[in-house]
Every structure is written in structure tokens, then in C-alpha cells.
Amino acid sequence: MSRPPGSMPTYLGMPSFPKAAEDAVADARLRGNLAHATGTIRRRRQAAVAELADWAELRETARRIKDHTLRHLDHYLRMLEERVTAAGGRVHWARDAAEANRIVTELVRATGHTEVVKVKSMATQEIGLNEALAEAGIAAHETDLAELIVQLGEDRPSHILVPAIHRNRGEIRDIFRRRMPDAPAGLSDDPAELAEAARRHLRAKFLSAKVAVSGVNFAIAETGTLVVLESEGNGRMCLTLPQTLISVMGIEKVLPTWRDLEVFLQLLPRSSTAERMNPYTSTWTGVTPGDGPREFHLVLLDNGRTATLADPVGRQALRCIRCSACLNVCPVYARAGGHAYGSPYPGPIGAILSPQIRGIGSPVDASLPYASSLCGACLEVCPVAIDIPEVLVHLRAKAVAEGPRHRLADAAMTAAAWTLRSPRRLALAQRAASAGRLLARRGRIRRLPGPLRAWTEARDAPAPPAESFRAWWKRTDGGSR
């Protein structure tokens, strides 16, 4: 699963997930912020979904639409390119992050401007566009409130839907006071005051910016129409006021028809923000003289998606509509937070998407498939029925096959295979294991000896039973005595 350099940046200096998670779990304030936020979103989503009697049918329909589109992705992408071009837009193809950044940078430079406003976009975070623009002397201003908080705080997003979920109101107030030049004196941590401060700050950016960069939630192949869903109105401002609009879109975001979009406009708001209808749904098709941007560019981003599509098990990750429902139910994410994943895509979906886009070649990516308890909660809430546990197990096998050999683990597996091949040897091993009861206190073993100590550093081991099932079966004649 190797990938070319520049496919997606790993956050600089990030250790493997176990180490990063260990540090995050020790942060009591972070855990408190996450527990409060994810719990609230989870309860609201559950209520919103329960209102639809045909939720299961919608979910299955969405899965089929996505799978059909992925099977015929080449056809629908060519159709999209034709329709966008016919409507006055220009389409650019980017094989990886480096090429996408180069294309966007050159397009901005061609306008003669050195500032852009941005709609919240996972694709541009994936390729590290802000950093690439900064290197070229171009300032990118995030206009989503949570993204603005992250940017001003020189932080990284911790959640797909709510990037600043790890921050509380007091922290946000302090960031605004320090980093927002036009923040009012005496700004408090009242949500209304914070939102008003951000609104006034951003309004000046909207009115002066001549270039905007956006992501894309969906693209309709039959008409060449692009769709962005957001809840603050900042997207509407970015998509209509500037003279030049550049949209970066992962190639898996295409849908065949407008009728297909109807399904996702019901699923996405309820799964992400627990709303019946998305507050702002913006659509545009090419350019229209006298209305909106004068130039429109669409950058179609591969960046490992074609390779992911070639994996019969892993390709289902490309169904993802970035709703973040899997993050809000994941017990691992709720304790470790998004930063521990070392990727713009945190949580369960990040644990299967990042290693496929970047390849399992770094300690971070090799560890991500193990960032799960395999409880299956993510599968239950996914609106497009991605079997995340199945992909996690699949990627674990790849990580083992492609990773370094561990002599101790190999020896343990060899010994286990030798033991399990013989009923007599298995019975002897079970009797020997019962000696572990000597290490137990109140039914738990809190420290195992030797190499087994690594297990008990993070968890207690249950004490072996006084009698094995095999011994009980023999003694009771299968329970009949």
C-alpha cells in the first residue's frame, strides 16, 4: 500500500497512535470537552434519525448509489468534466496533494491577489493547501467559525464537523483576545458575543476578498453542478462575492443525477448536525454573467483514491460523506480526541481512510487500524453503511504483512499454532494457565511477568478460572451429571 510522496501530509512530529493517545487521555480538560460535545451531538442525532420511519431504506439506497457510482467512476467523472466545461468552468486533474497545491497556487497567482477566503474543506486540509499557499506568499482566511478558532489558535482540527470541539468557551475567548486584532475590548465567553466578534471580523474579509477556495460536498454529473452544505452562511458569502472561485473536490464526491442528491440531503444533515434540513445548501453550475464569480475552476483530486478503489474491501471508505457520526459514538475518539490520529481525518473513518490514502508506510498509519475496540458502533450509525470494523481488520492484516517482523510475536504465534494442533497439548496448556490465579487479586491480574507486562500496563487481565471448560466437560460428562 505504498503511495507517492506528497499524497497527504502527516502532522509534523506525530508519533504513532498509541503514544499520542496516551498523552491525550492524560488531559482531563480535553476528555471533559470531548465527552460533553460528542454526547450532546449523539443524543440530538439519535432523536433526529428516529423521526424518519424509512431511515434504513434511505441508508441502503445511499449505499447502492455510492457503490454504483464508484463502479462507474470514470464515466461519471468524464461526464462531470464535460458539463462543467460547457457551463463556462475549467476542470483541472490532480494526481496527488503536491499537484493540487501547485494548481491552486498558480490559479491564485494568476489573479494578482495575495489573499483568499476559504469555505471549510476536508480536501484542502488533506493536501495541506493553507501551508502551500503561505509558502507562496498567499494568505488563506478560514471563514467557518470553528476553523477560524483553530487557525487563530495555530492549532489543528480535532473533528470533521466541529474542528474546535476540543476547545471550551473560555479558551476560545482567550484566543480571540490574543489573535483577533478587531476583537472588542472586554470580550466575554458568552457564545453570542464570541459569534458576533467572529462575524464582524469575517465580514471585512468577505467584502474585500477577490478569490475564494471551497470544498465540494457533492457534484452532479448530469448537469455539472457543485453542492456545498454548511450551517453559518459563510459558504454562501464565499461562493458568491469573490470574482474567482476555486473548488477542490475528491473524485469520489460525484453523484450521477439530481435525484440521487435528494437521498443525501436527507441523510447528511440528520447524521451530522441533527437537523431536518441543512441551513445553507449552495449550488452552482459553471459561471453566469452578472451573477456570482466571473471565473470558476474545479480541481479534481485523486490523491490515493484510485488505489483505494482497487481494494475490494477498503474501497467502501470512499462512500463517506463526512458526516462525522462515527466520531461521536466512538469510545476511542471520545477519550483520545482527533489530534492523536495524526491526520486531517480523525476517528473511525480516519483510521481506515488515512492509511489507504497515504499507505501503511509510517508508524502513524501502521498504527491507525488498531485505534479501535471493534465495537461496531460506527457501522450502526454510518448513513452510507460503511463496515468500518471490517476494513479495520483488513488493514490490520496489511499492516502485519507489510510491516517489520517481530521475532517475539512470530515465536508466540508459532507456539500457539503448535499447541492448538493437539488436544493433549491444549489441555496441558490450560492446566498450566490456571497457575496464573496465584498472581490475581480480587479476580484480576494487574501485572503480568516478562514480555506479557505490556498487556497489563494499560489494562487488567482476568484471572484464569479454577477449572477449564474442557475439565468441566469431562468431569460432568458434558453437563449431564
Side-chain angles (χ1 to χ4, degrees):
M1 292 186 66
S2 59
R3 296 284 185 274
S7 60
M8 183 167 81
T10 299
Y11 291 140
L12 186 64
M14 279 300 298
S16 63
F17 181 85
K19 174 58 179 170
E22 181 181 355
D23 295 340
V25 169
D27 187 335
R29 183 167 63 176
L30 172 65
R31 293 202 315 273
N33 293 348
L34 289 170
H36 173 73
T38 57
T40 300
I41 297 171
R42 186 167 61 245
R43 288 189 295 272
R44 289 177 179 172
R45 178 201 174 275
Q46 188 174 8
V49 167
E51 293 177 351
L52 292 184
D54 61 344
W55 179 263
E57 289 78 8
L58 280 169
R59 186 177 186 244
E60 175 61 17
T61 301
R63 183 192 67 79
R64 292 183 179 183
I65 291 171
K66 278 290 191 176
D67 283 350
H68 165 80
T69 308
L70 291 171
R71 282 196 301 271
H72 305 283
L73 190 58
D74 55 341
H75 167 72
Y76 290 116
L77 287 174
R78 284 197 298 269
M79 182 185 296
L80 177 67
E81 180 182 29
E82 291 170 3
R83 301 295 193 272
V84 169
T85 303
R90 287 187 58 195
V91 177
H92 311 261
W93 297 81
R95 286 167 293 189
D96 56 25
E99 189 167 9
N101 287 331
R102 178 182 57 77
I103 291 169
V104 176
T105 301
E106 290 176 356
L107 289 173
V108 177
R109 278 176 169 165
T111 68
H113 297 286
T114 57
E115 288 188 315
V116 302
V117 288
K118 286 187 67 212
V119 186
K120 179 171 178 275
S121 165
M122 296 301 300
T124 59
Q125 289 176 12
E126 173 186 322
I127 63 177
L129 178 62
N130 286 10
E131 293 77 9
L133 290 175
E135 289 180 6
I138 299 167
H141 303 290
E142 297 289 353
T143 64
D144 174 85
L145 176 56
E147 288 285 357
L148 175 65
I149 294 166
V150 169
Q151 185 177 43
L152 291 177
E154 298 182 331
D155 200 351
R156 297 189 302 268
S158 182
H159 193 276
I160 290 176
L161 178 67
V162 194
I165 195 172
H166 57 294
R167 297 290 193 184
N168 59 35
R169 294 183 306 177
E171 293 174 292
I172 295 169
R173 175 204 58 210
D174 294 342
I175 290 171
F176 280 10
R177 285 177 174 176
R178 289 196 314 268
R179 300 299 307 277
M180 189 184 287
D182 47 1
L187 179 65
S188 76
D189 64 355
D190 178 71
E193 283 193 38
L194 294 172
E196 180 64 18
R199 187 179 296 114
R200 291 179 179 277
H201 171 77
L202 291 172
R203 184 58 58 96
K205 303 295 183 186
F206 290 137
L207 294 176
S208 62
K210 303 300 181 184
V211 184
V213 175
S214 85
V216 178
N217 287 103
F218 305 102
I220 312 303
E222 68 174 349
T223 60
T225 302
L226 285 299
V227 185
V228 161
L229 281 71
E230 42 96 12
S231 59
E232 298 173 15
N234 63 300
R236 186 70 53 85
M237 301 285 277
C238 286
L239 297 168
T240 56
L241 292 179
Q243 296 174 354
T244 301
L245 173 61
I246 304 166
S247 299
V248 181
M249 168 189 145
I251 56 176
E252 81 280 13
K253 296 296 184 70
V254 65
L255 295 176
T257 69
W258 272 97
R259 187 174 182 181
D260 298 323
L261 178 65
E262 174 192 358
V263 175
F264 295 94
L265 290 183
Q266 296 180 73
L267 290 170
L268 182 54
R270 290 176 187 267
S271 276
S272 58
T273 56
E275 293 169 299
R276 297 180 180 91
M277 180 184 292
N278 198 71
Y280 293 92
T281 300
S282 300
T283 66
W284 69 100
T285 307
V287 294
T288 302
D291 183 14
R294 300 172 194 171
E295 286 187 44
F296 168 59
H297 300 269
L298 174 61
V299 180
L300 293 173
L301 177 68
D302 185 328
N303 203 38
R305 288 161 173 79
T306 300
T308 302
L309 186 61
D311 187 327
V313 177
R315 69 173 61 141
Q316 58 186 299
L318 298 179
R319 292 185 208 143
C320 178
I321 58 175
R322 310 295 192 264
C323 71
S324 76
C326 61
L327 280 69
N328 299 325
V329 299
C330 178
V332 176
Y333 174 85
R335 288 157 180 80
H339 293 163
Y341 293 81
S343 161
Y345 299 109
I349 188 61
I352 66 171
L353 191 58
S354 300
Q356 294 194 87
I357 289 178
R358 296 189 300 212
I360 305 178
S362 70
V364 174
D365 292 303
S367 67
L368 285 179
Y370 296 91
S372 170
S373 64
L374 299 180
C375 68
C378 49
L379 169 59
E380 291 182 15
V381 300
C382 178
V384 288
I386 302 172
D387 193 338
I388 293 178
E390 178 187 31
V391 183
L392 286 168
V393 173
H394 174 66
L395 293 177
R396 289 180 185 186
K398 287 183 175 289
V400 171
E402 298 183 16
R405 306 302 301 179
H406 298 284
R407 278 191 244 172
L408 186 59
D410 289 346
M413 290 298 103
T414 300
W418 179 80
T419 302
L420 294 172
R421 279 197 297 266
S422 165
R424 182 170 174 274
R425 290 195 291 264
L426 177 58
L428 290 171
Q430 288 173 334
R431 283 200 292 272
S434 65
R437 293 176 60 80
L438 300 174
L439 301 174
R441 296 293 182 272
R442 297 180 181 178
R444 295 283 173 181
I445 300 175
R446 289 174 172 77
R447 178 181 285 273
L448 286 168
L452 299 176
R453 185 178 302 165
W455 175 269
T456 51
E457 283 179 354
R459 61 186 68 79
D460 293 340
E467 183 178 36
S468 69
F469 176 79
R470 178 188 296 272
W472 173 86
W473 185 272
K474 183 177 181 180
R475 178 174 59 78
T476 63
D477 195 15
S480 61
R481 293 201 304 272

